[in-house]
Amino acid sequence: MVESVTTTAAGRRPARCDDGAVERRYVLTLGCPDRTGIVARLSTVLAEAGATIVEASYHADESSGWFFTRQVVLAASVAASAEQLRTRFAAVAAELGPETEWTLHDTDERKRVVLLVSREPHCLRDLLGRAADGELPAEVVAVVGNHQDLEPLTAAHGVPFHHVPFPADPAERGPAFARVRELVDAHDPHAVVLARFMQVLPAELCEHWAGRALNIHHSFLPSFVGARPYHQAFARGVKLVGATCHYVTAELDAGPIVEQDVIRVDHGDSPADMVRQGRDIERLVLSRGLRWHLEDRVLVHGGTTVVFT
Amino acid sequence: MVESVTTTAAGRRPARCDDGAVERRYVLTLGCPDRTGIVARLSTVLAEAGATIVEASYHADESSGWFFTRQVVLAASVAASAEQLRTRFAAVAAELGPETEWTLHDTDERKRVVLLVSREPHCLRDLLGRAADGELPAEVVAVVGNHQDLEPLTAAHGVPFHHVPFPADPAERGPAFARVRELVDAHDPHAVVLARFMQVLPAELCEHWAGRALNIHHSFLPSFVGARPYHQAFARGVKLVGATCHYVTAELDAGPIVEQDVIRVDHGDSPADMVRQGRDIERLVLSRGLRWHLEDRVLVHGGTTVVFT
Amino acid sequence: MVESVTTTAAGRRPARCDDGAVERRYVLTLGCPDRTGIVARLSTVLAEAGATIVEASYHADESSGWFFTRQVVLAASVAASAEQLRTRFAAVAAELGPETEWTLHDTDERKRVVLLVSREPHCLRDLLGRAADGELPAEVVAVVGNHQDLEPLTAAHGVPFHHVPFPADPAERGPAFARVRELVDAHDPHAVVLARFMQVLPAELCEHWAGRALNIHHSFLPSFVGARPYHQAFARGVKLVGATCHYVTAELDAGPIVEQDVIRVDHGDSPADMVRQGRDIERLVLSRGLRWHLEDRVLVHGGTTVVFT
Amino acid sequence: MVESVTTTAAGRRPARCDDGAVERRYVLTLGCPDRTGIVARLSTVLAEAGATIVEASYHADESSGWFFTRQVVLAASVAASAEQLRTRFAAVAAELGPETEWTLHDTDERKRVVLLVSREPHCLRDLLGRAADGELPAEVVAVVGNHQDLEPLTAAHGVPFHHVPFPADPAERGPAFARVRELVDAHDPHAVVLARFMQVLPAELCEHWAGRALNIHHSFLPSFVGARPYHQAFARGVKLVGATCHYVTAELDAGPIVEQDVIRVDHGDSPADMVRQGRDIERLVLSRGLRWHLEDRVLVHGGTTVVFT
């Protein structure tokens, strides 16, 4: 009996996107109400499939009573197709109750990312560069901008750019958002990144892209929600400024936080200095958050995230 | 003419409190509306006194139009007493206008600190230890607690402890605050430190101790004002928690910030874990902030600080 | 069959030392050559004992081919004494091969720590304070100093202090080290901490205390091995200084690293300034490293460590 | 007399490169043996020219007896051309002795940078992007590579790329280095950046470009000099990895350090993981160091730097 699950214990091996030729893997994530037996149940399914586990993480949250796991197995070790594995896990998930959420990603299926931008190039440039250098496990399939400024930069990376002008009056932006939605959805992307998009998404779009839309906010949330956070930070006289990568929800800058970081500033830094220094933190935080999202390392529950790094 | 100011240019030398036998120094701070000629005016006064400058810092804030400086001179180099120097600077300050604020501290006058505490020992212990080891340029002359828990720890450091019980009903705490004020003021302290005092000072006490009362708030302000900030941080799912040392003002947790720092947390950290890890940040941030305050490195203007580190 | 292991999957709960009344736990660590089936084997033993797992960590190191795990279970959930559990794990370890190393600690057995000191108080003071406040899951049972300076500080915490004078000539220190060894070994401690002891242990003592002796080195190793590292750092002009907590081995400052951290310095910092700022990092790094060691979070293999935080 | 120097005291204003339309400035740096009167002497020259000072920094290093200053003045406030100012400062420098080193840069003269690269794109891409977005106060005028891999990336930014193949035998690389020197010197650049060039410059080239050649080393120097530092870091089991921007000197990785930073790693990070995470630190450290160099914020003396940030 023990023998039947022995194959689950093999050594973890790096499953990172930039290792050159990385073996094909299946990445399982699962969240459900915590109860005894979940790990054993999942391990057995994997073991019976002969899976070699290369990464395994568990978390049970006492306050919410929720259980989370992420497991990575070598595809070559599994005597089943991804589809067959999915069928088996669907059965397990059914046992674990109707609230269970799970995914199984085949790394041979390359993920797709759409970027929403406005005029500021730094996040767009950083993500396009990382994608080009193989630092992101995904393809940037399109960029949508409400200004044309970033079209040349996008085109230089061989990525289609779509310009959707936005009317000055917020009340008249419905058609523009509808067009953005249409352009984005045409790619059925795994991630929609607001890379300094500077527009507040309407609630129904937040809902439609729930769990897929990532924003970079240029402050250490929950400090300085809304517009011009560096100017707010300067006015308050804080000694560190930061950036936050979070999922987009209908409430402004209140979505589940994926990653945050800060940088030290002092009285000699003007708001413009903070803007400049903050760009480095924005780039880092957004690229880390997006990478973790694409590697299925981020599980959302309630208003917070579990990030298995 | 140049010769007359030559003595201002001598090399900066460390003026730190823990260097063993540090030479006596005069520390000048000055803030006033910015205009041309201030540096020259001050330099000339110092030069005419024959002062050897060992530290000199300047800052002019564009947004407020305010000028700030801090200068440290070797007492032995000055052909004048501290009192005589003060007379000369009072004249300069008068020239610079009625809004000018300045101080001149003689390091031979040891500064006095009073600590206000409740039940949590970690900040008290840290500050008493640093004072004992010569890491703070001041003497802790008294500790006032609204509980008796920290009396033994205080006594073990040879510092008087005063217990002022606080009634449960906030509306009835007036006499207790009056007693605290009396106990504190008896020492005419340079700093009143709320070392996890957990009581909101009444507005008149904030006003009375303005510029001298320092608080440690256990969050990265302006996030998580008020009670139980680590629990607020846990609920929001932030990825860093912090602490803030700030001057106490009538508006809760809104005073000018002296120092802040953060530490990384993750989904595996419960509120209790954040409390424990946060203590290290609280100790560091409070001890740094207090040290800078005592060394006259912190100049307050409007709601923010200039910190010459 | 699945049912038989269900109890291993219960939610993780905080097992930290400072939570007030923490439930009794058993902490298992195990390291062995990696092979399939280890996790399943261990899980089954725990499951058959009815254990509720509250923390579980795994790591397999590709380069060394070694497998590491740490599991924490609620004692109350186990239908066996610690000794009975040890008997069962001894059998499993035998199956896993002669190189297997494992421990099972009962948190009801309070751990003992002996500190070796010289003249500098800051690390001693910090550790005694943390022990007093319940921040260290251990009792400091003795302090041994080669100078008497720190006897009063130690005595104030109710801890016995032993003075062992060291002769000036290193060649004649054999008897002094023998006396230190005798004093330490009388307590059979779980950790021997060189809290700025400033003496190089002879090789046989390193060997004797292998895996239990922790040192704090005041640099970011491998930079600045040996004496006066802050002065070396100043001379090299580095922009960050650090501290390293490592296990003591016969080769100076070359033992397995448990924890490191750094702080930013600049050209205005003299060696004395670096010494002062470095103390904060030394305290943090040593207290973290010791805490992890005492919580059985550190597994050593080859010259490096796995730290399950 | 006081009046004659009043114009030196005007408020500091941001002189940063990315503020859009920044007013023309003159940037003075000066280093010389410390003695009384230097500040007064310089201030007087500036004052007599009517200069409005917008940034002023001073440092006197006790251990070397050296004095350093950097002053930024608004060109429009000075009743003299840059050339005329240079003539005056040359006279002052002569007074201060033959060891005095000084520069006066007119920000209307755009600085030129040449990048040396090999195959790794991340630093090149970052610097070209920053230059394109106005984050670097300079123009990248040429890229020289010993491989052709990075030609398309360079060309996409409109920068000339020169390929200089290097023979496999280090002993035969003399002509290749001569060709690199020729290509670089044709631009008379203010900075020659080894952006992961992976070749050790011959001593005469280090000497020829002394004070202008910047390297990014992918470790926290002085740890892990030489090849494959991340693999060295992995083998040693360090808990942080870093990067160092330093001036190139004949002794490998021993030149004056401009900037360093680190990032936390753990036992789960393979050398490949460290390489990936390290790239972010390399980009940040190199771009900061280069920016400070180009803004004349870095003064070198002996083997170390003063960095006026």
Side-chain angles (χ1 to χ4, degrees):
Chain A
M1 187 197 93
V2 166
E3 285 71 5
S4 72
V5 290
T6 53
T7 48
T8 61
R12 167 183 168 191
R13 278 177 248 171
R16 310 303 160 72
C17 66
D18 55 348
D19 276 340
V22 172
E23 288 174 273
R24 182 182 183 183
R25 287 140 199 275
Y26 299 138
V27 181
L28 170 74
T29 72
L30 185 144
C32 64
D34 196 14
R35 65 175 210 197
T36 54
I38 303 170
V39 174
R41 192 73 189 87
L42 297 173
S43 299
T44 303
V45 171
L46 289 173
E48 289 172 353
T52 297
I53 298 172
V54 288
E55 283 189 75
S57 308
Y58 307 92
H59 176 62
D61 185 67
E62 262 204 309
S63 63
S64 64
W66 218 256
F67 172 86
F68 306 86
T69 188
R70 175 181 182 268
Q71 314 250 351
V72 183
V73 303
L74 292 182
S77 71
V78 179
S81 68
E83 215 39 62
Q84 288 172 319
L85 265 190
R86 283 192 189 104
T87 303
R88 295 180 203 176
F89 277 112
V92 176
E95 291 171 33
L96 294 173
E99 294 174 293
T100 302
E101 295 189 327
W102 65 282
T103 63
L104 192 147
H105 176 66
D106 177 347
T107 60
D108 264 15
E109 185 200 359
R110 190 141 179 87
K111 290 199 174 179
R112 295 172 302 281
V113 175
V114 174
L115 307 178
L116 306 188
V117 302
S118 184
R119 282 180 153 148
E120 289 216 56
H122 60 283
C123 284
L124 173 65
R125 188 186 291 282
D126 183 71
L127 293 179
L128 290 173
R130 288 176 191 266
D133 289 346
E135 288 188 42
L136 278 183
E139 185 184 357
V140 179
V141 292
V143 174
V144 179
N146 64 337
H147 291 277
Q148 286 189 289
D149 306 50
L150 302 181
E151 175 151 24
L153 172 59
T154 305
H157 287 80
V159 174
F161 182 92
H162 306 284
H163 178 217
V164 180
F166 269 58
D169 182 352
E172 294 175 7
R173 290 181 185 157
F177 277 117
R179 176 70 182 134
V180 169
R181 174 175 175 157
E182 185 179 42
L183 286 164
V184 168
D185 286 358
H187 294 282
D188 188 20
H190 300 79
V192 183
V193 180
L194 283 67
R196 301 299 306 271
F197 182 47
M198 313 303 281
Q199 297 289 331
V200 178
L201 295 193
E204 73 271 14
L205 214 39
C206 296
E207 179 60 31
H208 175 62
W209 290 331
R212 288 187 295 156
L214 284 166
N215 184 45
I216 179 73
H217 184 73
H218 39 317
S219 85
F220 181 72
L221 290 174
S223 293
F224 311 131
V225 165
R228 293 168 66 83
Y230 294 121
H231 291 76
Q232 295 183 53
F234 177 82
R236 180 63 186 92
V238 293
K239 302 304 183 187
L240 301 165
V241 295
T244 302
C245 175
H246 64 93
Y247 287 102
V248 178
T249 57
E251 187 183 346
L252 183 63
D253 298 331
I257 293 171
V258 180
E259 171 63 341
Q260 303 187 287
D261 215 335
V262 293
I263 193 170
R264 192 163 278 270
V265 293
D266 70 21
H267 57 263
D269 290 302
S270 66
D273 293 325
M274 291 184 184
V275 166
R276 177 179 48 76
Q277 293 173 268
R279 278 185 208 129
D280 281 332
I281 298 300
E282 294 167 40
R283 282 183 273 239
L284 281 180
V285 165
L286 178 56
S287 64
R288 274 189 219 138
L290 175 57
R291 188 166 179 279
W292 295 338
H293 170 82
L294 292 168
E295 294 181 349
D296 298 305
R297 296 182 181 278
V298 189
L299 283 74
V300 181
H301 185 73
T304 63
T305 62
V306 169
V307 183
F308 289 125
T309 52
Chain B
M1 188 195 94
V2 165
E3 285 71 6
S4 73
V5 289
T6 53
T7 48
T8 61
R12 164 183 170 190
R13 279 178 247 171
R16 309 303 160 78
C17 65
D18 54 347
D19 277 341
V22 172
E23 287 173 274
R24 182 182 183 185
R25 288 137 199 276
Y26 300 138
V27 181
L28 171 74
T29 71
L30 186 144
C32 65
D34 196 13
R35 66 176 209 196
T36 56
I38 302 170
V39 174
R41 192 73 189 87
L42 298 173
S43 300
T44 303
V45 172
L46 289 174
E48 288 173 352
T52 297
I53 297 172
V54 288
E55 285 188 75
S57 307
Y58 307 91
H59 176 63
D61 185 67
E62 261 204 310
S63 62
S64 64
W66 218 255
F67 172 86
F68 307 86
T69 189
R70 176 181 181 267
Q71 314 249 352
V72 183
V73 302
L74 291 182
S77 72
V78 180
S81 69
E83 216 38 63
Q84 289 172 318
L85 265 190
R86 284 195 188 102
T87 304
R88 295 182 203 176
F89 277 112
V92 177
E95 292 172 32
L96 295 173
E99 293 175 293
T100 303
E101 296 189 326
W102 66 280
T103 63
L104 191 146
H105 175 67
D106 177 349
T107 59
D108 265 15
E109 186 200 357
R110 191 140 180 87
K111 292 199 172 177
R112 295 173 302 282
V113 175
V114 175
L115 307 179
L116 307 188
V117 302
S118 184
R119 282 181 153 149
E120 289 216 53
H122 61 283
C123 285
L124 174 65
R125 188 186 291 282
D126 184 71
L127 294 178
L128 290 174
R130 288 175 191 268
D133 290 346
E135 288 188 42
L136 278 183
E139 185 183 355
V140 179
V141 291
V143 174
V144 180
N146 64 339
H147 291 278
Q148 285 188 289
D149 308 48
L150 303 181
E151 177 153 22
L153 172 60
T154 306
H157 287 80
V159 174
F161 183 92
H162 306 285
H163 178 217
V164 180
F166 270 58
D169 182 352
E172 295 175 8
R173 290 182 185 157
F177 277 118
R179 177 68 183 138
V180 170
R181 175 175 174 158
E182 187 179 39
L183 287 164
V184 169
D185 285 358
H187 294 283
D188 189 21
H190 298 81
V192 183
V193 180
L194 284 68
R196 300 299 306 271
F197 182 47
M198 313 302 281
Q199 297 289 331
V200 179
L201 294 193
E204 73 272 13
L205 214 39
C206 297
E207 180 59 32
H208 176 61
W209 290 331
R212 289 188 294 156
L214 285 167
N215 184 45
I216 180 72
H217 183 74
H218 39 315
S219 84
F220 182 74
L221 290 174
S223 292
F224 310 130
V225 165
R228 294 168 67 83
Y230 293 121
H231 291 76
Q232 294 183 54
F234 178 82
R236 181 63 185 91
V238 294
K239 301 305 185 187
L240 301 165
V241 295
T244 303
C245 174
H246 64 93
Y247 286 104
V248 177
T249 57
E251 187 183 346
L252 184 64
D253 298 331
I257 293 170
V258 179
E259 171 64 343
Q260 303 186 287
D261 215 334
V262 292
I263 193 169
R264 191 162 278 270
V265 292
D266 70 21
H267 58 262
D269 290 302
S270 66
D273 293 326
M274 292 184 183
V275 166
R276 177 178 49 76
Q277 292 173 267
R279 279 185 208 128
D280 281 335
I281 297 300
E282 293 168 42
R283 282 184 274 239
L284 281 180
V285 165
L286 178 56
S287 63
R288 275 188 217 139
L290 175 58
R291 188 166 177 276
W292 295 339
H293 170 82
L294 292 169
E295 294 182 346
D296 298 305
R297 296 182 181 279
V298 188
L299 284 73
V300 180
H301 185 72
T304 64
T305 63
V306 169
V307 184
F308 289 126
T309 51
Chain C
M1 189 195 93
V2 165
E3 287 69 3
S4 72
V5 291
T6 52
T7 49
T8 62
R12 166 183 168 188
R13 277 177 250 172
R16 308 305 159 76
C17 64
D18 54 349
D19 276 341
V22 172
E23 287 175 274
R24 182 181 183 185
R25 286 139 201 273
Y26 299 138
V27 181
L28 170 74
T29 71
L30 185 144
C32 65
D34 195 14
R35 65 175 211 196
T36 55
I38 302 171
V39 174
R41 192 74 189 85
L42 297 173
S43 300
T44 304
V45 171
L46 290 173
E48 290 173 352
T52 298
I53 298 173
V54 287
E55 283 188 77
S57 308
Y58 305 93
H59 176 61
D61 185 67
E62 259 203 310
S63 64
S64 64
W66 218 255
F67 172 86
F68 307 86
T69 190
R70 176 181 182 268
Q71 314 250 350
V72 183
V73 303
L74 292 182
S77 71
V78 180
S81 68
E83 214 39 61
Q84 289 172 318
L85 266 190
R86 283 192 189 105
T87 303
R88 296 181 203 176
F89 277 112
V92 176
E95 291 171 33
L96 295 173
E99 293 174 294
T100 303
E101 296 189 327
W102 65 281
T103 63
L104 191 148
H105 175 66
D106 177 348
T107 60
D108 264 14
E109 185 200 359
R110 191 139 178 86
K111 291 198 175 181
R112 297 173 301 280
V113 175
V114 175
L115 307 179
L116 306 189
V117 303
S118 185
R119 282 181 153 147
E120 290 215 55
H122 61 283
C123 284
L124 174 65
R125 188 186 291 283
D126 183 71
L127 293 179
L128 290 174
R130 288 176 190 267
D133 289 347
E135 288 188 41
L136 277 184
E139 184 184 356
V140 178
V141 290
V143 174
V144 180
N146 63 337
H147 291 278
Q148 285 187 289
D149 307 49
L150 302 181
E151 176 152 21
L153 173 59
T154 305
H157 286 79
V159 175
F161 182 91
H162 305 284
H163 178 216
V164 179
F166 270 57
D169 182 352
E172 294 176 7
R173 289 180 186 157
F177 277 117
R179 177 71 183 135
V180 170
R181 174 175 175 160
E182 188 179 38
L183 287 163
V184 169
D185 286 358
H187 295 281
D188 190 19
H190 300 80
V192 184
V193 179
L194 284 68
R196 300 300 306 270
F197 181 47
M198 314 302 281
Q199 297 289 331
V200 179
L201 294 193
E204 73 271 14
L205 216 38
C206 297
E207 179 59 30
H208 176 61
W209 290 331
R212 289 187 293 157
L214 285 167
N215 184 46
I216 179 71
H217 184 73
H218 39 315
S219 85
F220 182 74
L221 289 174
S223 293
F224 311 130
V225 165
R228 294 169 67 81
Y230 292 120
H231 291 76
Q232 295 183 52
F234 178 82
R236 181 62 186 92
V238 293
K239 301 305 184 188
L240 301 164
V241 294
T244 303
C245 175
H246 64 92
Y247 287 103
V248 178
T249 56
E251 188 183 348
L252 185 63
D253 298 332
I257 293 170
V258 179
E259 171 63 342
Q260 305 187 286
D261 216 333
V262 292
I263 194 170
R264 192 163 279 270
V265 294
D266 70 19
H267 58 263
D269 290 302
S270 66
D273 293 326
M274 292 184 183
V275 166
R276 178 177 49 74
Q277 293 173 269
R279 278 185 208 128
D280 281 335
I281 298 300
E282 293 168 41
R283 281 184 273 241
L284 281 179
V285 164
L286 178 56
S287 64
R288 274 190 219 137
L290 175 58
R291 188 166 178 277
W292 295 338
H293 170 82
L294 292 169
E295 294 182 348
D296 298 306
R297 295 182 182 279
V298 188
L299 283 74
V300 180
H301 186 72
T304 64
T305 63
V306 169
V307 184
F308 289 125
T309 52
Chain D
M1 191 198 89
V2 165
E3 287 70 8
S4 73
V5 290
T6 53
T7 48
T8 61
R12 167 184 169 189
R13 280 177 248 169
R16 310 305 161 74
C17 66
D18 53 349
D19 277 342
V22 173
E23 287 173 275
R24 182 183 183 183
R25 289 139 199 274
Y26 300 138
V27 181
L28 171 73
T29 70
L30 184 143
C32 64
D34 195 13
R35 65 174 210 197
T36 55
I38 302 171
V39 173
R41 192 73 189 88
L42 298 173
S43 299
T44 304
V45 171
L46 289 173
E48 288 173 353
T52 297
I53 298 173
V54 288
E55 284 188 75
S57 307
Y58 307 93
H59 176 62
D61 184 67
E62 259 204 309
S63 62
S64 65
W66 218 256
F67 172 87
F68 306 85
T69 189
R70 175 180 181 270
Q71 315 250 351
V72 182
V73 303
L74 291 182
S77 71
V78 180
S81 69
E83 214 39 61
Q84 288 172 320
L85 265 190
R86 284 194 188 104
T87 304
R88 295 182 203 176
F89 277 113
V92 176
E95 291 171 32
L96 294 173
E99 294 175 292
T100 302
E101 295 189 326
W102 65 281
T103 64
L104 192 148
H105 175 67
D106 178 348
T107 60
D108 264 16
E109 184 200 0
R110 190 141 179 85
K111 290 198 174 180
R112 297 173 302 281
V113 175
V114 175
L115 307 179
L116 307 188
V117 302
S118 185
R119 281 181 153 148
E120 289 215 55
H122 61 283
C123 284
L124 173 65
R125 188 186 293 280
D126 183 70
L127 293 178
L128 290 172
R130 288 176 191 267
D133 289 347
E135 288 188 42
L136 278 184
E139 184 184 357
V140 178
V141 291
V143 174
V144 179
N146 64 338
H147 291 277
Q148 285 188 290
D149 308 48
L150 303 181
E151 178 152 22
L153 172 59
T154 305
H157 287 80
V159 175
F161 182 91
H162 306 284
H163 178 217
V164 178
F166 270 57
D169 181 354
E172 293 176 8
R173 290 179 186 159
F177 277 116
R179 178 66 183 139
V180 170
R181 175 175 174 159
E182 187 179 39
L183 287 164
V184 169
D185 285 358
H187 295 282
D188 189 20
H190 298 81
V192 183
V193 180
L194 284 68
R196 300 300 306 270
F197 182 46
M198 313 302 282
Q199 297 289 330
V200 180
L201 293 194
E204 73 271 14
L205 215 39
C206 297
E207 179 60 31
H208 176 61
W209 290 331
R212 289 188 292 157
L214 284 167
N215 185 44
I216 179 72
H217 184 73
H218 39 315
S219 84
F220 182 70
L221 289 174
S223 292
F224 311 130
V225 165
R228 294 168 67 81
Y230 293 121
H231 291 75
Q232 294 183 54
F234 177 82
R236 181 64 186 91
V238 294
K239 301 304 184 187
L240 302 164
V241 295
T244 303
C245 174
H246 64 93
Y247 287 103
V248 178
T249 56
E251 188 183 345
L252 183 64
D253 298 331
I257 293 169
V258 179
E259 171 64 340
Q260 302 186 288
D261 216 334
V262 292
I263 193 170
R264 193 163 277 270
V265 292
D266 70 20
H267 58 262
D269 289 303
S270 66
D273 293 326
M274 292 185 182
V275 165
R276 177 178 49 76
Q277 292 172 269
R279 277 184 209 129
D280 281 334
I281 298 299
E282 294 167 41
R283 282 184 274 238
L284 281 179
V285 164
L286 177 57
S287 64
R288 276 189 217 139
L290 175 58
R291 188 166 177 276
W292 294 340
H293 170 83
L294 293 168
E295 294 181 349
D296 297 306
R297 296 182 181 278
V298 189
L299 283 74
V300 180
H301 186 72
T304 64
T305 63
V306 169
V307 183
F308 289 126
T309 52

